[in-house]
Amino acid sequence: MVFAHDTEAALLSAVALVNTAVEPDTLTSVEDLDGWYQEHGYTGRRDGDAAELAEVRALRPVLRELLVADRDRAAVLVNDLLADARALPRLVRHGDLDWHLHAVADDAPLVRRVAVETAMAVVDVVRTGEGSRLSVCADDGCDGLVLDLSRNRSRRFCSTACANRNAVAAYRARRRSR
Ligand SMILES: [Zn+2]
Ligand SMILES: [Zn+2]
């Protein structure tokens, strides 16, 4: 494991959220947001309305900037996000989850909790100097973000689709050059 369990979970959910903005946009309905929320094990307040959806959609470019920022810039962005949200870190234990960090109240709006969860995860990324684990997809035509949690740092594509497309292109290039 590269980061603590809750850090990895927060980074995975943030990257998935940012990548919904890659065309075609896949976060356009409350149902889409439900799907992301459930898949990533979020708990706490859900409004399930259009306002909440709009707020979370608008957070995507903010998180994207944070996740691809260089180390010094990321530190500034993290501090701003935590201050704006008046984050107050504390250890909690709920459901099947052992002690982990929460930094905003469970009844805070979803958008604020996602912003703070992500900022807290990037705290670890900055402290450990592991920023190179986050990158933009190696596919020329894709803006998706990649979170590489592999031991040998081998992950370069945001999705299986991008990896396969590039594997096919590389295979064709090798055949042509024979
Ligand atoms: Zn929790
Ligand atoms: Zn991609």
Side-chain angles (χ1 to χ4, degrees):
M1 193 176 282
V2 181
F3 301 107
H5 161 79
D6 51 346
T7 296
E8 294 197 349
L11 291 173
L12 283 167
S13 67
V15 165
L17 182 61
V18 167
N19 285 351
T20 64
V22 174
E23 289 298 325
D25 196 316
T26 51
L27 187 68
T28 59
S29 67
V30 169
E31 290 71 35
D32 288 342
L33 187 56
D34 287 341
W36 172 83
Y37 181 93
Q38 280 161 19
E39 181 175 346
H40 294 283
Y42 260 89
T43 55
R45 174 174 161 188
R46 258 320 293 289
D47 296 350
D49 58 13
E52 181 182 64
L53 174 65
E55 286 173 347
V56 173
R57 284 174 54 83
L59 181 65
R60 297 181 300 179
V62 176
L63 295 188
R64 183 183 179 92
E65 184 188 3
L66 172 65
L67 292 170
V68 298
D70 67 37
R71 193 160 180 255
D72 291 358
R73 176 81 184 136
V76 172
L77 294 172
V78 162
N79 288 344
D80 286 351
L81 281 168
L82 294 179
D84 285 351
R86 292 187 198 83
L88 184 65
R90 65 205 192 285
L91 283 165
V92 296
R93 192 159 55 175
H94 58 85
D96 295 336
L97 292 172
D98 199 3
W99 293 111
H100 59 285
L101 276 172
H102 279 198
V104 273
D106 290 348
D107 59 355
L110 179 62
V111 68
R112 198 189 311 162
R113 288 186 291 119
V114 176
V116 168
E117 286 269 318
T118 309
M120 294 295 290
V122 175
V123 165
D124 278 2
V125 175
V126 170
R127 287 163 66 225
T128 55
E130 291 280 354
S132 64
R133 298 276 179 182
L134 286 153
S135 62
V136 178
C137 183
D139 182 280
D140 287 340
C142 179
D143 293 327
L145 296 189
V146 183
L147 173 64
D148 187 354
L149 297 174
S150 66
R151 192 182 290 259
N152 59 355
R153 294 174 180 262
S154 54
R155 180 130 196 235
R156 296 170 53 230
F157 298 102
C158 73
S159 63
T160 326
C162 281
N164 288 346
R165 187 164 56 247
N166 282 271
V168 170
Y171 172 75
R172 291 206 179 115
R174 272 198 306 276
R175 277 180 62 104
R176 270 199 302 275
S177 65
R178 247 187 234 157

